[in-house]
Amino acid sequence: MSSEPAPAPASASTEELEADLSAATISKKQLKKDARKAEKAGKASQRQQQQQPQAEEADPFAANYGDVPVEEIQSKAISGRSWTDIGDLDEAAAGRSVLIRGSAQTLRPVSKKMAFVVLRQSMSTVQCVLVASADAGVSTQMVRFATSLSKESIVDVEGVVTLPKEPLKATTQQVEIQVRKVYCINRAIPTLPINLEDAARSEAEFEKAEQNGEKLVRVLQDTRLNYRAIDLRTPANQAIFRIQCHVENKFREFLFLENFIGIHSPKLIGGSSEGGASVFKLEYNGQPACLAQSPQLYKQMSICGGFGRVFEVGPVFRAEKSNTHRHLCEFIGLDAEMEIKEHYFEVCDIIDGLFVAIFKHLNENCQKELETINRQYPFEPLKYLEKTLKLTYEEGIKMLKVLACTLCLFHHYGDVHLHTVCSFVFSQCD
């Protein structure tokens, strides 16, 4: 018998060899496939990198738009450019090239080649039109850039003023600006905490929407105060602050012409100025102190000091508790004091003239502001007499008697014709 091992079956060796060859073939194919994929990915990446600069180079008007770096607006140089206020844009400016700055209030793309941007500056708004055109120096990329801006972003626009074919309803200025250049000075965050359109709505708009089954967002007072910087941009708030400024200036102007002298009394004092119940108390360098409740004492000191007539515009502090949401713990007081020569009607005449002068000034110079406030917070037009009615003590008593008699007759006889009652009362109450 032979001691050599029996040879392995031929079929087994063949199967192992075929498996090895198959594995080797699959591995090579996979490697080639992976290599082709990597090559394609590399070429695609290369093409993408090449296309980006080509796209930028393809826009010959790239210098006419973009985000302005912060470094360029930090007082590096004086350009000498002439700026135009949006509120000054009118029909007389048609055909003129202007440079304006404002907040992007509305962004409305019409197509790839056209868009509208409404800019707001204080209480004034103007519509800016972008139309892709080689003659105007506006590209489709520039239109896309303008519409990509977020609302309330600060934007500079340079363009030509034109007159629209139809009156504009969405802007205060009845002109348009054909944009030639647009730059973003400061981008606002994409989503603001409050929307100006919501904050500027009137109660009438909410009621109308509710009747139509619509639900509008209502911006409550706490939210307004939390984001006061945004809330102040609403047209009504802009107008309120302007009217306040007009009232203060007219107050000063009228009294100055009546020989009043402006004073500034201290607001941090050693004790209460009108009584201790409603005073803010604090400690000042280890000593008790109070916030002034009124400049009354100092006005009287000025009169005694020989000034004759004084006035002051300044803060007043009252630590008074309130049962309503309107608090008067701090306000700006318009105070006046004057000596009386003979009769207290001297004071009445000054006060009469002061109020009439303020009312006339507001009606003549603040119609735009009054209409703006009226749209959100409706009010009745102010009515007043050019010469305020004056009554003597005797005349006042007589009127009170007439009123008392009228009320008694109504109570006694019930529903009586008013004209009959008043005629009887006037005839009996002399």
Side-chain angles (χ1 to χ4, degrees):
M1 294 180 62
S2 174
S3 59
E4 295 180 1
S11 59
S13 300
T14 304
E15 291 176 359
E16 291 178 1
L17 181 60
E18 289 177 354
D20 292 340
L21 290 172
S22 176
T25 303
I26 293 172
S27 178
K28 288 179 180 179
K29 287 181 178 179
Q30 187 64 40
L31 289 173
K32 289 181 180 180
K33 189 176 181 180
D34 293 343
R36 284 197 296 271
K37 283 184 179 181
E39 185 178 358
K40 287 182 180 180
K43 289 181 178 179
S45 176
Q46 187 175 3
R47 282 197 303 271
Q48 188 176 3
Q49 293 176 359
Q50 291 175 351
Q51 286 174 357
Q52 186 66 26
Q54 286 176 359
E56 294 177 358
E57 292 172 4
D59 184 6
F61 309 117
N64 293 344
Y65 64 93
D67 291 280
V68 178
V70 178
E71 296 77 13
E72 293 188 15
I73 56 175
Q74 292 183 334
S75 302
K76 295 294 183 181
I78 299 175
S79 65
R81 296 179 297 174
S82 177
W83 296 84
T84 302
D85 289 335
I86 291 179
D88 294 336
L89 297 174
D90 53 18
E91 295 181 358
R96 185 159 55 91
S97 180
V98 295
L99 174 63
I100 62 173
R101 174 173 292 180
S103 301
Q105 178 170 291
T106 306
L107 306 161
R108 184 163 62 91
V110 178
S111 65
K112 292 182 178 179
K113 295 185 177 182
M114 185 177 183
F116 295 97
V117 177
V118 174
L119 290 188
R120 184 190 69 256
Q121 183 185 43
S122 299
M123 295 176 60
S124 305
T125 54
V126 67
Q127 180 166 273
C128 305
V129 184
L130 292 97
V131 179
S133 167
D135 295 336
V138 179
S139 62
T140 55
Q141 294 94 324
M142 180 172 171
V143 175
R144 186 167 61 249
F145 168 80
T147 56
S148 71
L149 297 171
S150 52
K151 286 186 177 182
E152 297 304 307
S153 295
I154 306 300
V155 180
D156 285 354
V157 165
E158 186 176 334
V160 178
V161 180
T162 59
L163 300 178
K165 296 180 180 179
E166 298 179 358
L168 300 174
K169 297 180 180 180
T171 59
T172 61
Q173 308 310 115
Q174 293 303 305
V175 297
E176 292 180 327
I177 296 182
Q178 303 299 323
V179 179
R180 299 294 180 261
K181 297 180 181 180
V182 55
Y183 302 101
C184 182
I185 303 301
N186 191 356
R187 281 183 181 263
I189 58 176
T191 304
L192 295 172
I194 59 175
N195 191 330
L196 256 66
E197 294 177 358
D198 298 330
R201 289 195 177 100
S202 65
E203 281 298 323
E205 291 179 86
F206 285 109
E207 292 174 3
K208 184 178 179 180
E210 189 174 342
Q211 293 173 358
N212 296 333
E214 301 176 10
K215 189 174 182 180
L216 300 177
V217 176
R218 186 185 291 271
V219 183
L220 301 179
Q221 181 175 340
D222 287 346
T223 305
R224 291 179 184 272
L225 295 178
N226 287 339
Y227 304 101
R228 186 62 168 162
I230 301 178
D231 180 56
L232 286 174
R233 303 178 192 181
T234 60
N237 279 334
Q238 290 280 324
I240 288 171
F241 276 80
R242 280 162 173 75
I243 286 183
Q244 175 182 288
C245 180
H246 276 274
V247 171
E248 178 183 341
N249 288 341
K250 194 62 184 179
F251 176 83
R252 293 177 183 275
E253 176 189 324
F254 178 87
L255 293 180
F256 185 76
L257 293 175
E258 293 291 336
N259 297 320
F260 281 72
I261 299 172
I263 63 171
H264 297 285
S265 62
K267 304 306 172 189
L268 189 61
I269 57 181
S272 61
S273 53
E274 286 190 351
S278 58
V279 61
F280 286 105
K281 298 179 180 180
L282 64 149
E283 185 177 304
Y284 177 72
N285 290 336
Q287 297 181 355
C290 301
L291 295 179
Q293 300 160 281
S294 167
Q296 184 62 35
L297 174 63
Y298 302 98
K299 291 188 299 179
Q300 293 172 341
M301 288 172 62
S302 301
I303 300 301
C304 293
F307 284 90
R309 296 181 170 189
V310 296
F311 72 89
E312 178 176 0
V313 178
V316 178
F317 303 93
R318 303 280 178 88
E320 298 173 352
K321 294 183 179 180
S322 175
N323 294 324
T324 71
H325 65 283
R326 297 181 182 275
H327 298 279
L328 287 177
C329 56
E330 179 185 0
F331 59 90
I332 300 299
L334 305 179
D335 285 273
E337 193 81 16
M338 60 179 282
E339 62 182 9
I340 299 174
K341 295 288 195 303
E342 295 180 343
H343 197 279
Y344 70 89
F345 271 9
E346 298 169 23
V347 178
C348 293
D349 290 339
I350 291 292
I351 296 175
D352 176 25
L354 172 63
F355 277 102
V356 171
I358 291 175
F359 297 155
K360 287 182 66 175
H361 178 83
L362 294 180
N363 284 336
E364 294 173 359
N365 300 280
C366 300
Q367 277 301 313
K368 178 182 177 182
E369 288 80 3
L370 292 172
E371 291 171 2
T372 300
I373 297 172
N374 194 37
R375 280 195 293 270
Q376 185 169 1
Y377 307 108
F379 59 87
E380 293 293 328
L382 178 64
K383 297 179 180 180
Y384 60 93
L385 297 174
E386 288 287 341
K387 187 64 177 177
T388 304
L389 175 66
K390 281 185 181 180
L391 296 174
T392 63
Y393 177 78
E394 291 77 10
E395 290 171 332
I397 293 297
K398 182 178 179 180
M399 290 185 68
L400 288 175
K401 286 181 178 180
V402 170
L403 178 60
C405 291
T406 304
L407 293 176
C408 289
L409 285 173
F410 271 118
H411 178 72
H412 185 73
Y413 293 104
D415 188 12
V416 182
H417 197 275
L418 182 60
H419 176 72
T420 304
V421 172
C422 290
S423 299
F424 175 77
V425 167
F426 276 103
S427 64
Q428 298 295 322
C429 295
D430 289 334

